[in-house]
Amino acid sequence: MTRPTNSIHGEWSSRWAFILAATGSAVGLGNIWKFPYIAGENGGGAFVLVYLVCIALIGLPVMMAEILIGRRGRQNPVNTLKSLSSEENASSTWRFLGWIGLLAGFFILSYYSVIAGQAMAYVFRTLSGVFTGVTADGANSIYQSLTGDPERLLAWHTVFMVLTMVVVARGVKSGLEKLVRVVMPALFIMLVILVGYAANTGEYFSQAVDFLFVPDFSKLTQESILIAMGHAFFTLSLGMGAIMVYGSYLSKSSSIATMSVTVSIADTVVALLAGMAIFPLVFANGMSPDAGFSLLFVTLPIAFGHMAGGALFGGIFFILLVFAAWSSAISLIEPAVAWLVENKQISRRRASVTVGFAAWLLGLLTVFSFNIGEGWILFGMTMFGLLDYLTTNIMLPLGGLLIIVFAGWIMAKNSTQEELAIRSPIFYYIWRILVRYVSPIAIIIVFLNKIGLVG
Ligand code: PHE
């Protein structure tokens, strides 16, 4: 199988378009909703430190590997891995790695859309002023009234999924760039303002900074290390082919290393800002940092309910969050849609509707996990918890591991060197040592550690 020189889906208009799209994919619910709550559940500082180390030592090299594989293969992840493995005289079994990714993206989208739907519902709640003067208990019961109502959750889940399908059907390149160009800076400014607001809480702000940045290693468990690593993959959209498929639309001349560093830094800064906006409110209102997935939805509304113009400001904040989730959801479904278009010769429109509808159906499990299906427990988790655990902590790190093994051990040195085109040989060698040894060994140790085989 020979590889095409261009993607049939076209190319990004510029290097910036790629950076924007990849940042749009990376920055989403993972940064603003998920990072604060898992940091809270896992004890703060030490967890955050492990997460940051994982971003630098595993996330960044994996991102470079994904982009280079995508750009070289120029097709959806399954076909890309098939043609690159035949070019490198390796087994075509590597295409299954593409399959794991397609499946992970589909699973993630199913629950991602439900949470994004909750954020949509919050746009209207916030704008309506229900949070004015709200207390922690009040905010909590407003959240419960939303999640306890399967019909409402279902309606918002449906709206969000349809929006995602519409963009993907039209081709991700046309609208995405414009959307992200406006949304990302605006979201960033909003978060900075919220951190400024939180800073007014004085002692609680320093308590939050200590909580997030002073590591207490006694709080670190094998489980929390796995969660920190899984989140590094989730937040950077790695291990399932989203960044790979975006890489396949990238022109040859752009520097993969610089772009990966830019995207990773932007993503990390947004997550840390979200943490610094949320935790001071947690402490100032006597709430518990380990409140779980409701954390974002019960803390920020308290701030919006007490600041001048908070209803409008909060409404805009949730609108931006929905947009950020939207640009991530698009990248979750793109690999599967590209696969259908390339292999089944169906139109983009039909492909997006097919994948979107299937993910919507699976999403019902998550919708019900918050209410009538709260008691459907498997392996000690709700259906939503299980889908999240399986994808984030197992499928993405496993996919990422195989991706770097492919880039570091299967692809010839010449191939990766040519694709990365890093001018300084030292940087190329650092990357190569990371993908061949450091990152795979780290991932394997975390896995073995978790199942109790080492450590
Ligand atoms: N990175 C996205 C976020 O943090 C989620 C995502 C995961 C998107 C995997 C694509 C692939 O919200």
Side-chain angles (χ1 to χ4, degrees):
M1 194 170 169
T2 50
R3 59 186 159 94
T5 44
N6 283 307
S7 166
I8 61 161
H9 311 277
E11 269 184 16
W12 301 108
S13 59
S14 68
R15 176 171 96 82
W16 266 106
F18 173 82
I19 294 182
L20 286 168
T23 310
S25 165
V27 174
L29 296 172
N31 307 62
I32 293 170
W33 162 74
K34 197 171 191 188
F35 169 73
Y37 97 71
I38 58 174
E41 281 182 338
N42 290 284
F47 174 88
V48 175
L49 187 67
V50 176
Y51 152 79
L52 293 174
V53 170
C54 289
I55 294 279
L57 289 187
I58 303 177
L60 193 57
V62 174
M63 185 179 288
M64 291 173 61
E66 271 204 39
I67 302 175
L68 89 86
I69 292 173
R71 186 168 73 176
R72 204 168 173 79
R74 295 243 173 261
Q75 300 149 84
N76 71 78
V78 177
N79 297 31
T80 283
L81 286 160
K82 202 157 130 194
S83 49
L84 291 191
S85 52
S86 93
E87 184 176 300
E88 307 282 349
N89 296 320
S91 155
S92 66
T93 317
W94 280 99
R95 71 181 185 283
F96 287 108
L97 168 55
W99 278 111
I100 304 178
L102 259 47
L103 204 64
F106 166 71
F107 284 171
I108 296 175
L109 180 63
S110 79
Y111 67 81
Y112 203 83
S113 166
V114 179
I115 309 294
Q118 297 182 2
M120 286 182 124
Y122 263 61
V123 170
F124 297 94
R125 287 179 180 222
T126 315
L127 285 174
S128 76
V130 278
F131 294 115
T132 311
V134 81
T135 59
D137 283 344
N140 205 17
S141 63
I142 292 176
Y143 183 66
Q144 302 295 337
S145 75
L146 170 68
T147 54
D149 183 345
E151 281 156 32
R152 264 197 233 181
L153 281 189
L154 180 63
W156 287 116
H157 165 51
T158 311
V159 173
F160 185 82
M161 195 64 92
V162 169
L163 286 176
T164 304
M165 291 191 281
V166 168
V167 177
V168 178
R170 297 179 47 193
V172 295
K173 286 175 296 302
S174 48
L176 200 56
E177 188 180 341
K178 277 185 230 120
L179 178 81
V180 177
R181 203 188 282 275
V182 180
V183 168
M184 290 302 146
L187 189 63
F188 180 80
I189 293 169
M190 289 293 227
L191 282 169
V192 170
I193 297 175
L194 281 172
V195 174
Y197 178 84
N200 281 333
T201 60
E203 53 172 316
Y204 297 113
F205 187 71
S206 39
Q207 194 180 344
V209 171
D210 284 354
F211 178 76
L212 282 174
F213 299 109
V214 180
D216 170 358
F217 290 103
S218 69
K219 298 218 176 102
L220 213 53
T221 60
Q222 273 118 337
E223 178 73 14
S224 59
I225 296 175
L226 177 69
I227 296 177
M229 179 177 82
H231 187 66
F233 282 95
F234 184 91
T235 192
L236 293 177
S237 307
L238 298 175
M240 50 70 62
I243 293 293
M244 194 186 285
V245 95
Y246 278 7
S248 74
Y249 311 148
L250 186 64
S251 73
K252 281 284 174 210
S253 57
S254 339
S255 153
I256 292 179
T258 324
M259 291 185 299
S260 305
V261 172
T262 313
V263 175
S264 308
I265 292 180
D267 185 78
T268 309
V269 169
V270 172
L272 296 178
L273 284 176
M276 288 194 323
I278 288 174
F279 282 105
L281 300 170
V282 169
F283 295 121
N285 290 287
M287 300 156 93
S288 162
D290 59 0
F293 57 77
S294 63
L295 196 68
L296 167 77
F297 294 102
V298 296
T299 49
L300 289 188
I302 301 181
F304 300 143
H306 289 86
M307 59 171 80
L312 182 63
F313 182 83
I316 297 174
F317 174 84
F318 279 112
I319 291 176
L320 293 171
L321 179 60
V322 170
F323 279 125
W326 198 14
S327 58
S328 300
I330 289 166
S331 72
L332 280 165
I333 164 171
E334 179 66 14
V337 169
W339 181 85
L340 278 175
V341 172
E342 286 168 31
N343 296 316
K344 299 287 162 206
Q345 278 80 40
I346 64 173
S347 66
R348 273 197 86 85
R349 191 188 296 175
R350 275 190 58 193
S352 343
V353 172
T354 311
V355 186
F357 178 70
W360 176 86
L361 264 187
L362 186 65
L364 298 184
L365 283 179
T366 297
V367 166
F368 298 140
S369 298
F370 294 105
N371 36 69
I372 51 176
E374 230 170 353
W376 305 345
I377 303 289
L378 211 59
F379 304 112
M381 291 175 258
T382 61
M383 292 299 126
F384 155 61
L386 187 65
L387 279 167
D388 182 26
Y389 195 92
L390 176 72
T391 50
T392 309
N393 300 333
I394 298 171
M395 293 174 90
L396 299 185
L398 186 67
L401 172 64
L402 295 171
I403 287 168
I404 37 176
V405 167
F406 189 82
W409 294 93
I410 303 294
M411 291 180 76
K413 194 172 147 210
N414 285 344
S415 315
T416 52
Q417 211 162 14
E418 175 191 310
E419 206 61 51
L420 286 178
I422 299 180
R423 258 175 242 119
S424 131
I426 299 183
F427 283 122
Y428 175 75
Y429 278 104
I430 296 179
W431 174 80
R432 192 159 160 85
I433 290 170
L434 286 173
V435 292
R436 275 168 79 91
Y437 305 102
V438 181
S439 327
I441 292 174
I443 299 174
I444 292 170
I445 290 180
V446 176
F447 272 141
L448 292 182
N449 194 342
K450 168 66 177 84
I451 52 179
L453 287 181
V454 294

